[in-house]
Amino acid sequence: MKKKSNCVSVRFLWIPIGMWLFLLNGTLLNSFAAGQSERNVIVTAMNQQQPVKKVRGVVVESSGVPIPGATIMIKSKMKGVISDIDGKFEIEVSESDILEFSYVGYETQSIPVQGKTQFNVTMQEKVDELSEVTVVAFAKQKKESVLSSITTVDTKDLKVPSSNLTTALAGRMAGLISYQRSGEPGNDNANFFIRGVTTFGYKKDPLILLDNNEVSSQDLARMQPDDIASFSIMKDATATSLYGSRGANGVILVTTKEGVEGRAKINIRYENSISTPTQRVELADPVTYMKLHNEAVRTRDPLGVTLYSRNKIDNTIAGGNPYVYPANDWYKILFKNYTNNQRLNMNLSGGGKVARYYLAGTFNNDNGVLKVDRKNNFNNNIDLKRYMLRSNVNINVTKSTEVVVRLQGSFDDYTGPLHGGDSIYSSVMKANPVLFPAYYAPDRANEFTKHILYGNYDKGQFNNPYAEMTKGYKDYTASQIFAQVELKQKLDFITKGLALRGMFNTNRYSFFDVHRYYSPFFYKVSMYDKKKDEYTLDVINEESGKEYLEYEEKAKDINSTTYFEGAVNWDRTYRERHAVSGLLVFTMRDQIFANAGDLQKSLPYRNIGYAGRFTYAYDSRYFTELNFGYNGSERFSKKERFGFFPSIGLGWIVSNEGYWEGMKKIISKLKLKATYGLVGNDAIGSSDDRFFYLSNVDMDNEGRSASFGTYGNSGGRTLNAITISRYANDDITWETAAKLNLGIELAFWEKLEIQADIFREDRKNILMNRAAIPSTMGLQAGVRANVGEAMSQGIDVSVNFSHYFNNDFWITALGNFTYATSEFTVYEEPDYDDMPWLSFVGQSLNQNWGYVAERLFVDEDEVRNSPAQFGNYKAGDIKYKDINRDGKISYLDKVFMGYPMSPEIVYGLGFSMGFKEWDFSCFFQGLARESFWIDPVKTAPFINRQNALLKVYADNHWSEDKRNLHALWPRLSETIIENNNQSSTWFMRNGSFLRLKSLEFGYSLPRKLISRAHITNLRLYFSGTNLLTFSQFKLWDPEMGGNGLGYPIQKVYNMGLQISF
Amino acid sequence: MLILCSLVSCNYLDVVPDNVATIDYAFRNRTSAEKYLFTCYSYMPSHGSIYYDPAMSGGDDSWFHTFVPWSTRYLARGQQNSSEPYMNFWTNERGANKNLWQGIRDCNIFIENIGKVVDVPDYEKTRWKAEVKFLKAYYHFYLFRMYGPIPIQIQNLSISAGVDEVKVYRAPVDSVVNYITGLMREAALELPKESEVIQGTEAGRMNDLIAMSIRAKVFVYAASPLFNGNSNYASLVDNRGVQLFPQAYDENKWKIAAEACKEAIDLCHEQNKKLYDLVDVQVENEPEAFHVQTTYRQAICDRWNQELIWGGTNYECTDLSRQAQAKIMRFSAEHTSIKSEWGPTLKMIGRYYSKNGVPIDEDTEWLNNDWYDNRYKLREVPSSGDEKYYIKEGEKTVYLHYNREPRFYASIGFDRGIYFGNGYYNFPDDVKYTAFFAKEHSGLSSASEGFSITGYNVKKMHSFKNAVTLDRDAVEYYPFPVMRLSDLYLLYAESLNEAYGPSEEACFYIDQVRKRAGLGGVVESWSVHSIIPGKPTGKTGLREIIQRERTIELAYEGHRFWDIRRWKLITELNEQPQGWNASGENAEDFYKITNVAQEPVKFSVKDYFWPIKEYDLAVNKNLIQNYGW
């Protein structure tokens, strides 16, 4: 009940303010931020006419909660009343009057009296302006006039049970290629590329702008979908050329929510989820491991020393003392089956004519699936806590001046394993399951030993993953602060439609990392009395073991970015038919890094840009647009410093033509558009390259030195060397992309919308090493030039369908499809005219190359009589194809193989439906035309006498008894067989899959029930992600690609609660 | 506002302050110029590194168990390839740790610019420049020895040089040799004497002895069968029609080599160089048997001694020492820093002379007593006689280990052999011995990696003053002998024999080396002890003797690897490397001759030289690939 009174008092607060404002500046106080044309509220009564009758009514919001203080006016009569605390009113009207209902933040409604005596009015909230305009570079444009290829995603679709926004992107937007390789909290960012990759420089990913401010993908990952007003990706030239310097790889533009006029609204979303790996990698059982390890030694070297005696194997089978005859399932020892995560997001928004506010706070807690030893009092499991605070405030200083202040702070606190969760997973692959247990139960001598008696073998050089995991932990803290102030000034007094805007932004980021760990004591069994079943232990490393913690400071990353943007905007329609607009923008950006590592990198990174747009539209039918970016980057020499990037767009809305009227019922929209232009990229070479026009000399390279004197380098005179890591070249200049986009937008019956784009991009001036420079030149760094060229093309399509059968039953469906393929068109390489298969030209940018594996060798005769391969190999090792038939397998026999390593096709489809209080949605996502490789080195069993054995290898390998020439794994070995770990088609796998990405089932409590508590909405929901996967590949989650032995992608079962007041 | 913005931004992008270091700064003052000098030195290959010097572990004289992953081992197994060559010093890949073409370029930069430095006096500039000239010549030589004819980089090509200009050609053998030897001579004339190099801080820097000795060696290479009239390489003709290998054998090249060796030897003598003959104080009071041994060992490990011509300082010999040092006590097996993985092969054990200074298969005493036939059979150490100084009393070992020359006992750690020194100097009370059976203190222990696969270790290449106690080890530093006087003596003897046939002078120099090793002269030893008494009087016989003398005297110092190739004896590498059975736990199991290579090793003519990486050939089509690759 207390809540109720609070709520009401907030509501009443607005009445006096509204009135006061009105009195102050009657008709002129239009809220231009909200952008609606609002008819003004008149409260005072004048020229009263004779009342004809008295009517009653109640004003409620859509949820049924009464609105006190709503204004009820008789149109054109300057007379009105205000609703009371229960939303009720009474007014005297005549039959011909029209009543007008208004309230801040709600659409005004007019209802003719026409005999009614009771008015039950449901006020509709003002529709978000975003649904009518599209966010484009530096501005907003009316949807119909947008010629660029821009995809906007409904932020509702980004609400997945994950603390990482990037994991929600795959398959949601046409034009975005996205996939996730790891499921480790804090390290699970998905990779995403707009329309694929068209460069082979270091910067391949898109520019990400948060409220026009460039941020990292990590910052994007932290964003809460609840706080996002719009999320769009910009794909073609007209959309991105204004961002000249950084736009070539596409742009992701995110704007955050602002307060909307109206009462204070509170939204709370709380989720608790259980996450578990989508799939576990299966290892061979310990007995098989021992047998096959012995086989691996003997099959290569009949005299080889085997590690497991008959006795040991037999006792392990018989289930002897587990400390003496260990049989570890390391996965079980190290990992839990599932973990629990929580997420909480709260926001508060509202405002009036003078000021609007949006405040949000987020708390996410993500845990890993690692176990913690009870003997340690620290937590070595992953525990990532993320806090975020946001405050967006808009203030109307005068009727034509608006100031916006946006503040955001996000803070990560992390505790977790020393080298991250991935390393724990990969350490399982580097562990022997049978040589020693994770730890020993104390023997008699160690009854009072305080430390954990970790197991190890021989001299303690073996990897005990349990010791690695539990011996310590790391802490890190990351803080990111954005502060932004924006000033908007209308300049209608100069000429109508003119406005000025300035924005200043600063980002501060700081990160630090501390490791704490002890050096574990390792033990081995020295004697075992089988009769008594008693063993005695020997400490292996008495000297190096430590019971106390050591401490190590790690990298500290601090950087600061400042950004300024100034723009003049002009927008006007002449004679209702000629819509003209113009925009000029100036931007400057400066970023500096502490701990940069060398002098040149410590200097600020800077860009400035001038950009402009001019649009003209005739009668909402014909559209043209001209854009340019003129950008400067500090990386280039003075003569190459600025690049000019123009673009042009043309559009035609066929359905607005007069003759289309008849068709409009069926094809409600038909729009054709074409754009072409240039976009630049200054992030070329590598991120270490600062000033291409300067050489980079290390005058004191500690990595290289010479020493002399009596004791040489054990105490003589030593001087470090002078080395060069870059030669000066003042001709190096911008990488440019020429983008062509042809698009069509179609709508049928106003229910089904289809957008399709065909695109082609030609990237020129890609920085490359000159291939013609032979090693004999003795250069310490490559000589480079802007010579590379690449091309990409493809199509992206999105389909949306929505249908409301009635108020209780609705359905929406969406689907999208992206296909982007790329190829090298010009690539510096040796002259391969005689060996065309070696040439990169014509190959996809992400294509892997290697040898064509034919099968395994049949016998030693075949080995002898086949072209020479690599290192030592025998029957049962991989036989490669001699492409150039020169009698040996060498680099000249490499070919490009499979699909690219990044998918060419990403698609998604899903639907949502609602029936009364129930809602249900599901979403499938998939990708195709991707190849990945099983890593033959990481998965090689028995290496160093300790690498794990995958079950599939145990079941399916070549052996002398079973000479399967197409076995999954070649002849076993205890050492890396160079011949078999060549990059080849043998370990190539198809990466395509389709998965049930998300499923959600929700129930909203009936309004009647909750309105008493002044709750406007209360929804409970259950959701899940990655619930089902369909793929040919069974070893691990196919989305992880070659990283399958890392921290697995998670399957999540989630329960959530959404509540709004 | 835009105008305002443009005003602000005028210099906005000029973020680079003045004084950002460029290469010009290297020659502005003495300090940085000296650094550049050291930079030129920093490309010096790691002579003596068991990982980075192919001659140390890439040959047939020693073998390592399969756990060692070094690139050099692939060379030893005959597994070189042309797509990703091992120890590729041409491009600094696959085990190579120095980029020699870059080194040559830096040397050229130094030579071009050192004149600009203001605060270095002229005499010092001259010295520095001469040092760098030598380095430049030596780096060419290092590549020449590996790849055969190579492009000569007399001057640097400009970075902006045209595509055709940078496609250099390999120069023919004779041009390369002339260039290298000429430059070395030029350097020698300006280099300081050894005594002028301040030992405390400069030892290891170039002097005229080094330059002249290495120059002599280059001439010897040019005269050797691999480079002199080698018909195997007749097909190496580049696209201009230039033949890279001279096809006519030229005996005169041996004369030039002999002359150069003599010149170098005379210079050495002039500067008081002589074979090391000191008896260390630590041994003085010990039995005589240890004197010769330690003197021979100290010729290598006594720092900056009278015999050493060029001591390498860019590589620390402690790693080498740790690979060489045997584990001499049970508990020292737990010292993981003592590796003991460097295992001499049985072939090398057989190469050492008998105590009479002749090969064991020629020694009449060995043959008459059936010691040779029984060489792999066990024999107990007799209680009388000198054997107890070499083999642990009361133990058994094979005949092969008895009655060998002192250098055998000085160089090789073998099963049951006395291991003098390492903290234990009082014979017989606490002097240790080695025991190589599996699970014994020097042998293979369960899964451990630190053991010798052949059952021997290289005693010679660590100081006997190393301290190895129950739980500690301290390894003595010494500069690696890249060139020492006995090497030069033997090169001279070889050149003389090849140029003029057997001569007293040739034998004199061989005998000098033998004398220090405690052996009689060549002619005398053969005539008294050998079944082929006239061997030293024939050219072929003496050649064999000289080759064997080099193999023994310079064993494990990184010479045999190159000598085998220079002498065109690569087929010798096809004898399968052998050792004892390291996993044998008793004498019966241990003393089984075992092939230690997992796969048969295979060498052929192509292995005389490194292949040039195929990619480099594709980049520069003017280079031709070496024969067979």
Side-chain angles (χ1 to χ4, degrees), chain A residues 641 707 717 775-776 872 978, chain B residues 14 34 86 313 599 616:
Chain A
R641 199 159 273 173
S707 320
R717 178 165 151 80
S775 323
T776 48
N872 252 327
E978 193 196 352
Chain B
D14 288 329
E34 195 179 9
Y86 293 105
T313 51
E599 294 284 316
D616 287 275

Side-chain angles (χ1 to χ4, degrees), chain B residues 189-306:
Chain B
L189 294 174
E190 290 168 341
L191 280 168
K193 290 182 191 168
E194 188 187 46
S195 58
E196 289 165 354
V197 175
I198 303 161
Q199 205 187 54
T201 53
E202 294 181 347
R205 298 243 314 244
M206 292 308 143
N207 57 40
D208 56 353
L209 296 184
I210 298 173
M212 289 306 279
S213 316
I214 298 292
R215 171 175 171 268
K217 188 173 235 178
V218 179
F219 276 125
V220 171
Y221 270 81
S224 298
L226 183 62
F227 293 98
N228 193 357
N230 185 349
S231 56
N232 289 342
Y233 289 83
S235 63
L236 240 60
V237 178
D238 69 20
N239 61 18
R240 300 171 300 182
V242 175
Q243 182 138 41
L244 298 184
F245 278 81
Q247 287 304 299
Y249 174 73
D250 181 1
E251 201 174 68
N252 195 45
K253 284 182 178 165
W254 281 114
K255 293 180 180 161
I256 296 170
E259 203 180 308
C261 290
K262 189 66 178 33
E263 225 179 316
I265 290 171
D266 288 345
L267 196 65
C268 286
H269 290 168
E270 229 171 75
Q271 294 187 32
N272 300 322
K273 289 273 132 182
K274 53 180 179 180
L275 293 185
Y276 189 85
D277 54 1
L278 306 176
V279 178
D280 196 272
V281 281
Q282 198 100 47
V283 207
E284 261 174 356
N285 300 323
E286 297 301 319
E288 193 108 353
F290 297 124
H291 293 193
V292 186
Q293 271 189 44
T294 44
T295 298
Y296 175 66
R297 290 177 69 179
Q298 285 295 84
I300 290 145
C301 297
D302 191 3
R303 288 189 277 270
W304 307 108
N305 65 54
Q306 60 197 36

Side-chain angles (χ1 to χ4, degrees), chain B residues 403-431:
Chain B
N403 298 306
R404 304 302 295 269
E405 61 163 320
R407 282 183 299 194
F408 171 74
Y409 299 108
S411 305
I412 303 291
F414 58 91
D415 182 47
R416 315 290 137 172
I418 295 293
Y419 216 81
F420 181 77
N422 306 296
Y424 304 93
Y425 302 97
N426 296 323
F427 187 85
D429 308 338
D430 65 354
V431 164

Side-chain angles (χ1 to χ4, degrees), chain A residues 458-459 590 606 641 704 707 709-710 717 722 727 771 775-777 831 872 874 888 890-891 945 978, chain B residues 12 14 34 39 43 79 82-83 86 94 105 153 203 304 313 446-448 599 614-616 621 629:
Chain A
D458 195 35
K459 291 169 187 166
D590 170 301
R606 284 185 180 167
R641 199 159 273 173
R704 286 248 315 277
S707 320
T710 310
R717 178 165 151 80
I722 296 173
Y727 293 103
S775 323
T776 48
M777 276 282 274
D831 179 5
N872 252 327
K874 288 179 173 226
K888 62 183 176 184
S890 74
Y891 141 87
R945 302 182 154 190
E978 193 196 352
Chain B
Y12 186 70
D14 288 329
E34 195 179 9
T39 303
Y43 293 97
Q79 288 170 359
S82 56
S83 51
Y86 293 105
R94 291 269 256 183
R105 188 175 186 91
Q153 300 294 63
W304 307 108
T313 51
S446 61
S448 165
E599 294 284 316
E614 279 165 358
Y615 182 81
D616 287 275
K621 297 209 163 166
W629 293 110

Side-chain angles (χ1 to χ4, degrees), chain B residues 10-30:
Chain B
C10 231
N11 298 316
Y12 186 70
L13 297 178
D14 288 329
V15 295
V16 179
D18 292 341
N19 308 332
V20 169
T22 61
I23 203 68
D24 298 334
Y25 280 76
F27 297 100
R28 285 210 182 166
N29 62 37
R30 185 197 164 81

